[in-house]
Amino acid sequence: MSEFAAELAKRKESLLLFVASTAIAFLMFVQLQDDLLPDKEREFEAVIEFQNLSGDLIVTQRPERITLLASGSQRALDDLDTARVKAVVDMSQAEAGVARYDVTVDGPISRGVMVIPTRNVIDLGVEVLEHKPFEVNVQAAGMVSDVFEYRGVAAEPSTVTVNAAASIMPSVKSVRAIVDLTDALPNTTYTVRLEPLGEGDQPLAGVTVEPAEVVVRPVLSVAPQIRNLLVVPKFVNSPSGTSTVKSYTIEPTQIEVRGEGDTISRLRMIETEDVDLSGLSSNQTFTVGIRLPEGVESDTETVQVTVELED
């Protein structure tokens, strides 16, 4: 029985070795077949990178992308990361004007893959790059809360540099920054991206602004409170002789005042400047100013006080 078991184990081991060797042979066959197959081709689009361009030049006429052709085994093409492959144009010898430039390919390319541009040469238009200062035009959008009073807005920096091709620069009319004041609070700032604009406030392509963003600070203050308060005359000294004040009238009897909420809420009346009765012997009307506490304003500057005497 033991000899039979040993023989059976030996046959099982031989069978496992046969299966394993067959699988390895099959995989090698598949790999060999893949390598022996003719190359496959794959087209894809890539961005164009302009290298070594002088800082005083800009490419204005150009294709946005170019078609590249990759060839190799199917497996190698499948492994190719096309997003990292780019077309490159060396601009070290570029001058203003339209000319032809060679296109090369750069990027991590899988082993066994060849990538070439479908066009080895492309026509490019190059212009002189101009620089011009512009004041930032800050435009406020949205409604400020009724709690606050909007007094304007400031940008930092207030002047920026616009960079554009010589043919485009005359079309630049302004640089705009839009700030939304809907939720604005005092002493807050906003970082706002700038927009170069042409005629009719139309955004311009191919134009850059340095810096690209500015810090905008809305100028807000607590909105003044408004109240109507009684005006009370302040009499000083006495009429002549035995005369006394029988009555008086004041016009207007109330005036509108405005100021910060805490200050306005504490007021009960507004007093006039001194109404001097010394030596007064008959009825008289006085025009006097009003005394406003600090931080309180009014469009009314004077009132008329008419005094009636009696003996």
Side-chain angles (χ1 to χ4, degrees):
M1 191 67 167
S2 60
E3 292 181 3
F4 176 77
E7 181 64 23
L8 182 60
K10 184 176 180 181
R11 289 186 178 184
K12 287 174 106 178
E13 183 179 353
S14 299
L15 180 60
L16 288 174
L17 288 174
F18 173 76
V19 172
S21 61
T22 302
I24 293 172
F26 177 76
L27 291 175
M28 293 179 65
F29 173 77
V30 171
Q31 181 176 3
L32 182 60
Q33 286 294 104
D34 188 58
D35 292 338
L36 292 176
L37 288 174
D39 283 350
K40 304 289 186 180
E41 290 186 342
R42 175 185 176 187
E43 286 189 351
F44 61 95
E45 287 193 335
V47 296
I48 304 176
E49 183 177 289
F50 302 103
Q51 296 181 349
N52 306 316
L53 181 65
S54 172
D56 59 356
L57 296 176
I58 184 172
V59 180
T60 54
Q61 300 175 36
R62 62 178 186 177
E64 291 300 322
R65 305 175 74 86
I66 193 170
T67 302
L68 301 181
L69 177 64
S71 59
S73 67
Q74 187 62 57
R75 185 174 55 189
L77 291 179
D78 291 340
D79 292 339
L80 178 63
D81 186 358
T82 58
R84 299 174 63 189
V85 180
K86 58 190 175 184
V88 176
V89 178
D90 181 15
M91 307 295 293
S92 58
Q93 303 300 316
E95 297 179 351
V98 177
R100 291 192 165 186
Y101 295 84
D102 294 331
V103 181
T104 58
V105 176
D106 189 23
I109 298 175
S110 307
R111 180 184 176 186
V113 175
M114 181 175 65
V115 181
I116 60 173
T118 56
R119 290 187 293 165
N120 294 323
V121 176
I122 57 174
D123 293 328
L124 299 176
V126 178
E127 291 190 49
V128 172
L129 182 64
E130 293 187 349
H131 314 279
K132 185 177 179 180
F134 275 81
E135 292 287 329
V136 177
N137 175 25
V138 182
Q139 295 183 7
M143 296 294 294
V144 177
S145 169
D146 293 339
V147 177
F148 305 113
E149 187 177 68
Y150 174 63
R151 299 191 175 183
V153 66
E156 180 61 38
S158 59
T159 301
V160 295
T161 301
V162 170
N163 308 309
S167 63
I168 299 177
M169 186 64 81
S171 300
V172 182
K173 303 303 180 185
S174 64
V175 175
R176 178 176 65 186
I178 298 178
V179 59
D180 186 0
L181 299 179
T182 303
D183 298 317
L185 297 172
N187 302 317
T188 56
T189 59
Y190 302 86
T191 300
V192 181
R193 192 162 188 82
L194 297 172
E195 295 179 284
L197 304 176
E199 290 288 350
D201 289 343
Q202 294 298 312
L204 292 174
V207 179
T208 61
V209 183
E210 293 180 2
E213 298 175 328
V214 292
V215 176
V216 175
R217 183 188 302 275
V219 181
L220 303 175
S221 60
V222 177
Q225 301 297 309
I226 299 175
R227 290 185 65 190
N228 287 316
L229 296 175
L230 288 173
V231 182
V232 178
K234 181 183 180 183
F235 295 118
V236 296
N237 301 318
S238 301
S240 63
T242 59
S243 298
T244 59
V245 176
K246 178 182 179 181
S247 65
Y248 70 86
T249 59
I250 188 166
E251 183 62 34
T253 59
Q254 296 185 30
I255 62 172
E256 184 182 273
V257 295
R258 57 187 177 274
E260 292 187 3
D262 290 344
T263 303
I264 291 293
S265 64
R266 288 195 298 266
L267 295 178
R268 296 293 177 265
M269 63 182 183
I270 296 296
E271 194 174 56
T272 69
E273 298 287 353
D274 292 349
V275 180
D276 189 0
L277 301 181
S278 60
L280 188 65
S281 59
S282 60
N283 299 342
Q284 186 172 333
T285 298
F286 299 86
T287 300
V288 293
I290 56 175
R291 289 177 173 171
L292 295 174
E294 185 177 354
V296 178
E297 299 177 347
S298 176
D299 293 332
T300 302
E301 297 180 352
T302 61
V303 296
Q304 290 187 322
V305 180
T306 300
V307 178
E308 183 180 352
L309 301 180
E310 66 178 1
D311 291 329

